[in-house]
Amino acid sequence: MEAGGTVFLNKFNISNASTGIEAKANFGFLYVTDSDFDNFINAGIQINGPEATIPYVLNSNFSNTNYGISATNIDEIVIKYNSIVESELGIYLSNVTNATIINNAITSSLKSMPGIFLESSNGDLRGNTISGHTNGIHLGNSSPDIGDNTITDN
């Protein structure tokens, strides 16, 4: 998605590519809900800011990806009620001012990277279930509010 572009995906299936959705700098509107992303070399969704509006990723399924959801250099993002399975790194955020990461299930048997990795990012991490990664939540120069997460077998 190029600058000013708009994407609204509802009940969509994307599979077998390098990246499912790539939103580049100054994209317009990204809203993904109830969709399936499977078998990507890079990420199911990759967002490279800055953004024009807040991107939303809700109630979607990600499987067999290097990164389930990746976002860099944006002000806000909402990631809620997603399932991320057999991905090396579930959610990666870098330079995100205010992230909302709530009630996601992130599971893997790969144990190669963290379930959630925040680098120079803040926001809320609540009610997530994370298992099968090297670390449940990895923070680098980040200070999010963290609570009520279930982290096992990491």
Side-chain angles (χ1 to χ4, degrees), residues 4 14-16 21 27 47 49 53 56 58 67 78 84-85 90 99 101-102 105 121 125 129 131 135:
I14 301 174
S15 62
N16 302 316
I21 296 173
F27 62 90
I47 301 167
T53 61
Y56 287 83
L58 310 170
Y67 293 71
V78 176
I84 303 173
V85 179
I101 303 172
I102 296 177
S121 298
L125 277 72
T129 302
S131 66
N135 298 316

Side-chain angles (χ1 to χ4, degrees), residues 39-112:
N39 199 29
F40 296 102
I41 296 168
N42 294 319
I45 296 177
Q46 182 174 333
I47 301 167
N48 302 309
E51 81 285 7
T53 61
I54 302 169
Y56 287 83
V57 182
L58 310 170
N59 299 311
S60 293
N61 300 304
F62 298 82
S63 60
N64 303 307
T65 64
N66 190 22
Y67 293 71
I69 301 166
S70 172
T72 59
N73 302 314
I74 61 175
D75 290 329
E76 292 186 61
I77 188 167
V78 176
I79 301 170
K80 289 178 155 183
Y81 310 112
N82 298 289
S83 172
I84 303 173
V85 179
E86 296 304 326
S87 293
E88 290 188 33
L89 198 160
I91 299 171
Y92 172 75
L93 304 181
S94 177
N95 296 311
V96 176
T97 306
N98 187 23
T100 301
I101 303 172
I102 296 177
N103 292 334
N104 298 284
I106 304 169
T107 60
S108 181
S109 62
L110 303 173
K111 293 196 183 251
S112 61

Side-chain angles (χ1 to χ4, degrees), residues 116-131:
I116 298 174
F117 184 174
L118 270 60
E119 179 177 35
S120 300
S121 298
N122 296 302
D124 291 312
L125 277 72
R126 301 198 182 281
N128 299 290
T129 302
I130 305 165
S131 66

